[in-house]
């Protein structure tokens, strides 16, 4: 296999990967970024509403309040040391983006514009805060392009449209790089590096109805599972309350932040019943469940004449006026006109919950080092391996992420991981020898897709998405989940008999989709098994058969491993770095 | 409903030259986009290659030429298109396979305008201030998704891909010139004051018509030109 060597390797050109790459590119070390799409096509580009940091540009604010909201939003499953770190670093990480050129919207006094988002409060649970920094409703686009521009400036080496296959590790567990294939030529490539960071993003495409880009297939998670490492908290998936009904495209929470609200078919502002204080700006899991209940109980809009209620609710924002919508929510207006056929300046947008964000992922510590149970404890770093962004679980989002905290997670931990990788490279100046069988598994995987088969990848992928939608959605029970797992077994059996009709080399996207499907199946299994295991309701994981949160038994993280579908646990860190612990209590909005 | 397509096909491993393939698809066009149809066709025939990612018009992956116009497949309603719907790769760039073109000539021009904020002053501890009015100057420029619909509809770029920056690159050059925080306006103008880089633009406006985000590169180019004129006098 052709080989390239770098000091550091970043897999993923979204916000997380590019922020980490920048830290390394500014040093003397050689860094490469591998991305299966041209970096600005990464999913970060879709982020709309903003990035949260307690800048206090509009109203009083403190990072401690942001921390409190994040712990509560995550239903106490988040690690409080990581949350303190993120909220403390938030302001500097955002100012730094501004200095790089990010075109934030501005307040009259010239400071960065901020808007209220769900789950934000002042004074530890008091009145609504205004904390999310925005570039209109295109914050992800602005952030991703800015970070890409900085990486061009600092001459990061890009491998665009290369698809990473597997991690390469030696007998002592050190990560020595990854195998990949060039999508354009179909050539396999080994990229060696003393430090490798996974920033491959989410896996929302495991669900049928999703706000995610089509490339969000959990590839980094598949790589980690195949390397025999565990995934954490995979039962926790966020369903965003406001996806465009029937399509899934997202309508940012920023719409409700700017004053929009939800209505059922009777024109009732139903969130007042579910969250008397925060109303439409309660936690996302709370609002998504409320909408699901309204629909299930026959109060959805758009019913056919023979039905009692339809399958969506209305998001009303026309009262905000055309001027505000044009200035602050232009992208939303465009999406609603295109995908829902309504101009929100005049009419409400039909919305329903859509699979949105993966709270779980590859377990890491504060420095982005991947950790796994090993000889000396449950959280030993895997040498030379890092993970950041939606694919990672440093556990700042716990059981439910707050809006605007993901973009923050990308840049705070991207920077932290970049810094730690610099230290690691200094402490480990020489490459370790490559084992003889370094690329065997990847070769076998590629060879497997040269063999003919009777089953089609597209059909299995479609069935997988349908299965997960039905069996791992907003409301779950043991029986429904187990049935889903049985169906998944069948799908995996079919996958073993799948083959490609097209085995050509040049830009063969059918091959890429087959490799992605293998990763999605791993994600689906981790999700179902972890969800069956956790017999309580917490954050986004709602078990109808166990409707209460149970801190005595379940205030702990789930660790799923592929071999034997094993599930282990590790404790939640309730102790922050410097401030006092925020003790678990009932979560009401 | 049966919908007729005519697709540009080319696989360098098996085809001596490109050809047009007639395809029929069972699909209900209401509410569907062209990308939905292309994906459905690919589900029947895996050999069709195209790029796609966000499926909502924000990532710029799936620009193709549809019935003679450059558009993003994911936000082009099927019901708007006349049959047979002819889908080709973007014109003016080398074809890698089917609907996939080599975007490097386009990216190279983007990189050539030094697309990053230049400001060598020591950074303040907080944000640099910018008035809402100054920020508004970036509207219509920063939103570019680098889809290349504009540049590949520009005859001047077809003839001079190595020397003419093209509408997308020039729009981004303007984005930094217009940014009150950027200090390199003079150097940026120097970089463009060239018979080819900037002045190959003949104001034909094909670019404006092609932009799926409603941006106006011609206007930005005009502003750059007038800044150059102003500078001379
Ligand atoms: C519609 C939408 C709106 C959102 N809005 C907000 C918001 O307003 N605020 C907020 O905080 N969060 C928001 N989020 C969440 C947030 O956008 C994402 O969680 C975040 O952008 C993920 O960034 P990332 O860098 O981890 O991954 P991504 O941006 O998804 O990037 C992943 C990268 O990995 C690469 N990659 C993946 N697999 C491979 C492989 N096998 N080989 C090579 N490369 C690979 C891809 O090419 C890509 O470059 C939103 C999400 C959605 C879906
Ligand atoms: S206006 Fe200029 S850049 Fe735009 S298409 Fe015409 S020649 Fe090209
Ligand atoms: S200006 Fe418009 S058409 Fe040109 S690359 Fe940007 S978004 Fe695409
Ligand atoms: S798929 Fe992203 S613009 Fe069409």
């Amino acid at each position: 296999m052709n080989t390239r060597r770098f000091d550091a390797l970043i897999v993923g050109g979204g916000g997380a990967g590019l922020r980490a790459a920048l830290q390394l590119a500014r040093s003397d070390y050689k860094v490469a970024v591998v991305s299966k799409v041209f970096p600005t096509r990464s999913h970060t580009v879709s982020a709309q509403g903003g990035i949260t940091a307690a800048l206090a540009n509009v109203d009083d604010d403190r990072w401690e309040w942001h921390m409190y909201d994040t712990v509560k939003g995550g239903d106490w499953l988040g690690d409080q040391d990581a949350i303190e770190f993120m909220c403390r670093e938030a302001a500097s990480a955002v100012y730094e983006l501004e200095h790089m050129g990010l075109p934030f919207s501005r307040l009259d006094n010239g400071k960065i514009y901020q808007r209220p988002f769900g789950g934000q409060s002042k004074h530890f649970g008091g009145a609504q805060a205004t904390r999310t920094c925005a570039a209109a409703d295109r914050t992800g686009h602005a952030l991703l392009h800015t970070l890409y521009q900085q990486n061009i400036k600092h001459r990061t080496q890009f491998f665009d449209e290369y698809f990473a296959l597997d991690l390469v590790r030696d007998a002592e567990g050190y990560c020595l790089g990854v195998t990949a294939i060039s999508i354009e030529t179909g050539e396999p490539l080994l990229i060696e590096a003393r430090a490798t960071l996974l920033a491959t993003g989410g896996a929302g495409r495991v669900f049928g109805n999703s706000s995610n880009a089509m490339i969000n297939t959990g590839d980094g998670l598949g790589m980690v599972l195949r390397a025999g490492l565990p995934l954490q908290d995979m039962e926790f998936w966020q369903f965003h309350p406001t996806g465009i009904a029937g399509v899934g495209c997202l309508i940012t929470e920023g719409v409700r932040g700017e004053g929009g609200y939800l209505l059922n078919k009777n024109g009732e502002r139903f969130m007042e019943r579910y969250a008397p204080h925060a109303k439409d700006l309660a936690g996302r899991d709370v609002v998504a469940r409320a909408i699901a209940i309204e629909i299930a109980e026959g109060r959805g809009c758009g019913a056919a004449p023979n039905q009692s209620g339809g399958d969506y609710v209305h998001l009303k924002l026309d009262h905000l006026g055309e001027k505000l919508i044009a200035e602050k929510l232009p992208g939303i207006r465009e999406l609603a006109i295109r995908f829902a056929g309504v101009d929100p300046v005049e009419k409400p947008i039909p919305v329903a919950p859509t699979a949105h964000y993966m709270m779980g992922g590859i377990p890491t510590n504060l420095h982005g080092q991947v950790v796994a149970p090993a000889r000396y404890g449950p959280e030993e770093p895997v040498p030379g391996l890092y993970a950041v962004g939606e694919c990672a679980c440093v556990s700042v989002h716990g059981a439910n992420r707050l809006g605007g905290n993901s973009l923050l997670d990308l840049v705070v931990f991207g920077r932290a991981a970049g810094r730690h990788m610099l230290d690691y490279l200094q402490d480990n100046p020489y490459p370790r020898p490559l084992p003889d069988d370094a690329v065997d598994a990847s070769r076998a995987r590629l060879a497997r897709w040269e063999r003919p088969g009777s089953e089609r990848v597209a059909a299995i992928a479609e069935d997988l998405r349908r299965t997960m939608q039905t069996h791992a959605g907003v409301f779950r029970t043991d029986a429904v989940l187990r049935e889903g797992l049985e169906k998944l077994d069948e799908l995996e059996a079919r996958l073993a008999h799948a083959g490609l009709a097209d085995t050509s080399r040049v830009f063969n996207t059918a091959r890429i989709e087959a490799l992605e499907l293998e990763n999605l199946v791993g994600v689906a299994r981790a999700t179902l098994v972890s969800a069956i295991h956790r017999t309580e309701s917490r954050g986004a994981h709602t078990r109808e058969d166990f409707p209460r949160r149970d801190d005595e038994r379940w205030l702990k993280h789930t660790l799923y491993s592929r071999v034997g579908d094993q599930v282990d646990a590790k404790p939640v860190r309730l102790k922050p770095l410097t401030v006092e612990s925020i003790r678990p209590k009932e979560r009401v909005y | 409903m049966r919908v007729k397509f005519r697709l540009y096909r080319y696989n360098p491993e098996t085809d001596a030259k490109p050809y047009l393939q007639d395809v029929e698809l069972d699909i209900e066009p209401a509410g569907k986009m062209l990308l939905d149809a292309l994906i459905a066709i690919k589900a029947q025939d895996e050999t069709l290659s195209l790029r796609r990612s966000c499926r909502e018009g924000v990532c710029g992956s799936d620009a193709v030429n549809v019935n003679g116009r450059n558009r993003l497949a994911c936000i082009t309603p099927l019901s708007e298109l006349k049959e047979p719907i002819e889908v080709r790769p973007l014109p003016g760039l080398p074809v890698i396979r089917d609907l996939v073109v080599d975007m490097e000539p386009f990216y190279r021009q983007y990189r050539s305008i030094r697309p990053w904020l230049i400001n060598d002053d020591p950074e303040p501890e907080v944000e640099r201030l910018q008035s809402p009015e100054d920020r508004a100057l970036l509207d219509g420029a920063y939103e570019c998704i680098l889809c290349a619909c504009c540049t590949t509809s520009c005859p001047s770029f077809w003839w001079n891909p190595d020397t003419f920056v093209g509408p997308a690159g020039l729009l981004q050059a303007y984005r930094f010139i217009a940014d009150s925080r950027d200090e390199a306006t003079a150097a940026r103008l120097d970089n463009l004051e060239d018979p080819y880089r900037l002045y190959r633009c003949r104001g034909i406006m094909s670019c404006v018509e092609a932009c799926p985000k409603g941006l106006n590169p011609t206007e930005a180019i005009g502003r750059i030109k007038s800044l150059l004129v102003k500078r001379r006098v």
Side-chain angles (χ1 to χ4, degrees), chain A residues 106 161 210 214 506-507, chain B residues 13 49 51 53 55 126 128:
Chain A
R106 299 289 173 154
E161 302 194 318
S210 167
M214 301 179 75
V506 174
F507 228 100
Chain B
E13 289 165 77
S49 281
R51 292 188 176 104
S53 173
R55 66 78 174 85
V126 294
R128 294 195 169 100

Side-chain angles (χ1 to χ4, degrees), chain A residues 41 57 95 98-99 101 103-104 106 110 112 141 149 161 210 214 334 501-502 504-507 509, chain B residues 13 42 46 49 51 53 55 59 97 107 115 124 126-128 130 135 142 144-146 175 181 213:
Chain A
R41 324 268 182 235
N57 284 357
Y95 290 140
E98 194 284 324
H99 298 156
F104 281 111
R106 299 289 173 154
I112 293 171
H141 170 283
Q149 292 159 357
E161 302 194 318
S210 167
M214 301 179 75
E334 203 180 306
D502 175 12
S504 60
R505 319 213 141 271
V506 174
F507 228 100
T509 53
Chain B
E13 289 165 77
K42 187 173 171 64
E46 273 173 19
S49 281
R51 292 188 176 104
S53 173
R55 66 78 174 85
C59 79
R97 171 176 176 169
Y107 296 143
V126 294
E127 69 266 63
R128 294 195 169 100
Q130 184 173 48
R135 168 60 183 73
Y142 85 94
C144 171
I145 59 174
L146 298 178
R175 178 246 172 274
R181 301 169 297 173
K213 302 308 284 182

Side-chain angles (χ1 to χ4, degrees), chain A residues 11-17 34-37 39 42-44 46-51 117 162-164 199-202 211-212 215-216 219-220 223 250 252 356-357 388-391 401 403-408 410, chain B residues 56:
Chain A
V11 185
V34 173
S35 174
K36 65 178 175 178
V37 295
S42 302
H43 184 56
T44 297
S46 308
Q48 299 170 352
I51 175 167
F117 245 55
Y162 276 73
F163 184 90
T200 53
S211 69
N212 280 205
I215 58 169
N216 282 15
D219 299 340
M223 292 166 78
L250 192 78
T252 175
H356 183 57
Y357 185 86
V388 167
E390 191 168 340
C391 74
R401 172 176 74 91
N405 267 357
S406 173
L407 293 181
L408 181 63
L410 310 184
Chain B
E56 56 184 29

Side-chain angles (χ1 to χ4, degrees), chain A residues 282-304:
Chain A
R284 283 183 180 169
D285 53 333
V286 176
V287 183
R289 273 193 297 271
I291 295 176
I293 293 171
E294 289 299 298
I295 292 171
E297 294 183 353
R299 292 187 295 276
C301 307

Side-chain angles (χ1 to χ4, degrees), chain B residues 35 52-62 72 74:
Chain B
L35 181 63
R52 83 287 180 275
S53 173
C54 71
R55 66 78 174 85
E56 56 184 29
V58 297
C59 79
S61 295
D62 61 343
L72 297 173
C74 62

